[in-house]
Amino acid sequence: MNPKSFMRKTALLSAVALPFAASFALPGAALAEEPKLSKEAYESSKTLYFQRCAGCHGVLRKGATGKNLEPEATRKLGQERLEKIITLGTEGGMNNFDDIMTEQQIKDMATYIQLEAPKPPEMDITLMKDRMKVYVDPKDYPTKPLHGRNWENFFVVIERDAGKVAIVDGDKHEIVAHLDTGYAVHVIKGTEKSTMEGAAKDPGRFWYTMGRDGKLTKIDLWQTPDKMRVAEVQVAYDARDVAVSGDGKYIVGGGYWPPHFVIVDAETMEPKKVVSSRGVNVDGDYVEESRVAAIYAVPNTNDVLVSMKELGQMWQVNLDDVANLAITQMDTSKFLHDGFFDPTSQYFQIAANASNQMVVVDAKTAKHEATIDVGKLPHPGPGANWNDKECGPVGGTTHLGEGTVTVWGNDPKGHPDQAWKVCYTVETDGPGLFIRTHPKSKYVWADQTKHPDPEVQQSIQVISKDTREIVKTMQLTDKPGYAVVHSEFNADGSEVWVSIWNRSTSLEPNGEIVVFDAETLEEKTRIKGFFAPTGKFNVYNRAHHVT
Amino acid sequence: MNPKSFMRKTALLSAVALPFAASFALPGAALAEEPKLSKEAYESSKTLYFQRCAGCHGVLRKGATGKNLEPEATRKLGQERLEKIITLGTEGGMNNFDDIMTEQQIKDMATYIQLEAPKPPEMDITLMKDRMKVYVDPKDYPTKPLHGRNWENFFVVIERDAGKVAIVDGDKHEIVAHLDTGYAVHVIKGTEKSTMEGAAKDPGRFWYTMGRDGKLTKIDLWQTPDKMRVAEVQVAYDARDVAVSGDGKYIVGGGYWPPHFVIVDAETMEPKKVVSSRGVNVDGDYVEESRVAAIYAVPNTNDVLVSMKELGQMWQVNLDDVANLAITQMDTSKFLHDGFFDPTSQYFQIAANASNQMVVVDAKTAKHEATIDVGKLPHPGPGANWNDKECGPVGGTTHLGEGTVTVWGNDPKGHPDQAWKVCYTVETDGPGLFIRTHPKSKYVWADQTKHPDPEVQQSIQVISKDTREIVKTMQLTDKPGYAVVHSEFNADGSEVWVSIWNRSTSLEPNGEIVVFDAETLEEKTRIKGFFAPTGKFNVYNRAHHVT
């Protein structure tokens, strides 16, 4: 080939339209007037931003539940206005932070968010495997419970800021152990009763916690307290939820950052597969920080539902063959957060908080079933299902943005006219995080943890299923900086446990759980000595789908 | 709530390990000794890089078929060495570029690739919709062919650099039209014969081209030549492939950048859904520039196979319900490029070129079936299937990296011992791009387009199915800067068409197609007047799965 003959050089190709190459500018065009921050203040603000701000605004600050905080937006507001917002909060739902950040921390944060958001690193499967720790080898697991306690009525209690969970004997009202876990555990899931072949023989024996730092910890309730933590692995830098597959072989942990979910061997805790959640949302826009919120196993199947917060999609993932992974991506609404199954385990009801909706997907057909307009920022937590005299089977949610419990029909076969429509609402004293009931109970419990007034925040309210009205409001503490949060029934439904969360002294064991008689609504006892107790998970109820 | 009571400030939380916030450094730490380039040279290098380099090295320069060209790697080599590599190529498979780039262009490119790669923009569905153009409204489509020609023996011929396709009358050996399409169309797919309900009644009537610039063009072969281009839409800035769903309702276009695939209404060309292909590869590493290579409809189903080049995954996507999209992600090998079905349409055979493997997936079960070690950089293009006297049904591929045709058994039911094992290899004169045959033919045709010697590059070789030996080698031109590429049979299998690609004068109509008698291997005629003819698609053969 004679090079001389190729006289028509590449330049000619430019005659053809090439929108691609012409469409992106030189990188790194800096914004004018960059604010200054010492390296030390930058690093401490970065840490603080991650702890306190990233959950709502995102690590890349593109906004989600909270507003966009990229420099283009924040520099328009300026230092002074930003400091004021951080200090006092806004009417739009932003908390005040003057109670948990110093003046200097607020100043630095106002500057920090005017700088470009640093992009956190990826996490590959090799790094995850490096961070596996086995404390008890599976071959040394006991063949029967070693402590003589009624482990099926244990409660696993999140001790938020201490990075621990407490194991509590529900019969004896005694703390059995404080176990080291990831930081600020968001969710705990146990092995569940399942009709699947190969499913765990002892549902509720093994529990898996997901820390906000992405650390998954495996707990064996048959062990002696000193050995209950049997293994751990880190699968993300920022994370929220985990679920156990129906066949008991895998757990699935979801990352906020990196945006992905990880399929982990439930026995050994070895990460097996990482699936990115970066994607295109229901509006057709690419989302880099597409976070994985709630993850729930579909009972009696080998599917898990993985909620894609920013995408507004529910992904139903079948775990039968991880090397040929089947995923159905259901378009729903933004931003998906937390949800719960109906009593038949066919329908999953999940909050789309930015849309003020509850979204329902049919896990039998892997299709979007319905959308229900509810109040501002729904947040059901573990949720509540019960029977209403007029609407039949119903589900309910609390809201972060208003003091309302919204109740909708959830029985499309028996009550098609009421299904996925609001049946009634109950006005509560304030916005809350969690609602809960039990099939044997006449009542539904709702907290008001998001109300700024301490008296309301420190109270819990009880709604009658029969009259649909609030029948009791109980303030459980009056200590400043303490809040009341989250209720959970014991195994036989005779007790309700409510947390007193010592927010202001959260690294000291000043938290309590108040135990109520579920029938008389009278206080029975208080269990003391918790580090910032928040969510609680009764072994039997969670393992047997008592919703 | 009394702020004064919250005395234990957030600082205490730092006591808890937070690997996340501490793990990423300040952004923008610049590399020392940044080379300089004028803005004009930067922009023209960026365009040239996209045209000539990005295909192998990636727009983000992370490397794929070609090496990583990020500044950390390129600055180690330095200006002089880089210029030499671009000028002369390497033994590792890099082409020489002194024949199509000026000395100044090579100098600038060597500097350009030492600078940070600019990240191209995303493309949201709104922008795609803005770039839809309808030339003929679907309600005005003709109800019968308007030109009296035998359109089922048309050939659609890519005219690469001109951004056109030619429509050629296969009976009369006449060019019917040159239609404007995207730039350097990579692949063309037509509506296919299918047993699906609602499938196109006239398979092969509508064709869809995918340009390298992401422009999809819809062609109606029943129209008069001036109206054959009926609609277009842009779905990416850089793209390679497209497929039509079995029910004829959708086309699926794949992007190199942004890394995604787009489901488009096949009638109106309106984009309906974008699915990101960014993901985690088979090694467990996140890949941002995860490009979509070959896309093929699974015959007689509503599934398409989408190959994820860098991920090493085949995604089988079912198009029955786009709002609840079902995808099975099969782990295979890297980097997936081009492939073809076996004659039963159950098995898809695709090159994983960095692994020197052919990968087989079972489209009936959506599972990875087999991996076959072949030669260096396999590249079958449309591929070839035939019957071997010993191995039974076989498939074959050419290679970019060596002059070998590798042939493997592909009938696991009838010939389980031979299935997915190499049956035999044929040494050819040089590395090639395309292999092709026809059920009625005794021969398999292979090009040698990738060989640097003009005489070899300008020849095509014919292999006997019976003797497994090369029976004929034909040099079709001796013009400098002209290459011979790609063979395709006509509808009844009586002719073989081969392209003479006028690389050095590609914007002038100096290209030819040589028509051979498929039985005697004698030249019958030459069709002249093509702009850089490369790939050709016979309507009947492609629409009726004649492989």
Side-chain angles (χ1 to χ4, degrees), chain A residues 100 168 239 428 501:
Chain A
I100 47 173
V168 187
T428 63
W501 173 16

Side-chain angles (χ1 to χ4, degrees), chain B residues 346-361:
Chain B
Q346 180 172 355
Y347 300 105
F348 190 70
Q349 309 158 110
I350 181 165
N353 55 28
S355 306
N356 302 326
Q357 292 172 335
M358 290 295 297
V359 159
V360 185
V361 298

Side-chain angles (χ1 to χ4, degrees), chain A residues 410-425:
Chain A
N410 65 8
D411 177 27
K413 290 179 193 76
H415 296 78
D417 293 345
Q418 286 82 19
W420 318 132
K421 288 173 195 155
V422 173
C423 174
Y424 66 96
T425 58

Side-chain angles (χ1 to χ4, degrees), chain B residues 180-344:
Chain B
D180 288 329
T181 59
Y183 163 70
V185 164
H186 197 80
V187 168
I188 303 173
K189 297 277 174 67
T191 44
E192 295 183 1
K193 183 172 164 58
S194 171
T195 55
M196 285 285 298
E197 198 179 330
K201 277 180 203 154
D202 305 291
R205 172 182 173 178
F206 292 106
W207 287 77
Y208 300 89
T209 67
M210 174 59 95
R212 272 198 62 166
D213 52 5
K215 197 193 272 183
L216 282 168
T217 305
K218 180 179 181 180
I219 295 167
D220 179 2
L221 294 183
W222 285 11
Q223 282 281 3
T224 51
D226 58 319
K227 287 189 176 163
M228 282 181 173
R229 184 181 60 159
V230 293
E232 67 186 34
V233 65
Q234 192 187 11
V235 297
Y237 298 109
D238 187 9
R240 289 300 181 279
D241 209 347
V242 59
V244 189
S245 68
D247 68 3
K249 282 187 192 151
Y250 297 108
I251 57 172
V252 177
Y256 261 26
W257 192 275
H260 64 206
F261 61 92
V262 183
I263 300 169
V264 176
D265 186 300
E267 179 163 87
T268 64
M269 296 291 269
E270 184 184 345
K272 289 295 185 187
K273 183 164 192 153
V274 186
V275 180
S276 177
S277 58
R278 279 154 160 123
V280 176
N281 70 12
V282 287
D283 303 323
D285 297 320
Y286 173 68
V287 182
E288 176 163 25
E289 191 175 354
S290 159
R291 303 182 290 184
V292 175
I295 308 183
Y296 276 81
V298 180
N300 306 313
T301 77
N302 218 19
D303 287 357
V304 292
L305 286 169
V306 183
S307 53
M308 298 294 164
K309 198 182 189 71
E310 281 79 8
L311 298 188
Q313 290 181 332
M314 292 295 294
W315 289 13
Q316 188 157 338
V317 182
N318 179 270
L319 294 165
D320 283 342
D321 183 352
V322 170
N324 299 285
L325 194 68
I327 302 176
T328 303
Q329 303 181 350
M330 296 170 260
D331 287 343
T332 64
S333 301
K334 297 182 296 187
F335 299 115
L336 298 171
H337 187 69
D338 55 336
F340 60 108
F341 275 98
D342 81 309
T344 69

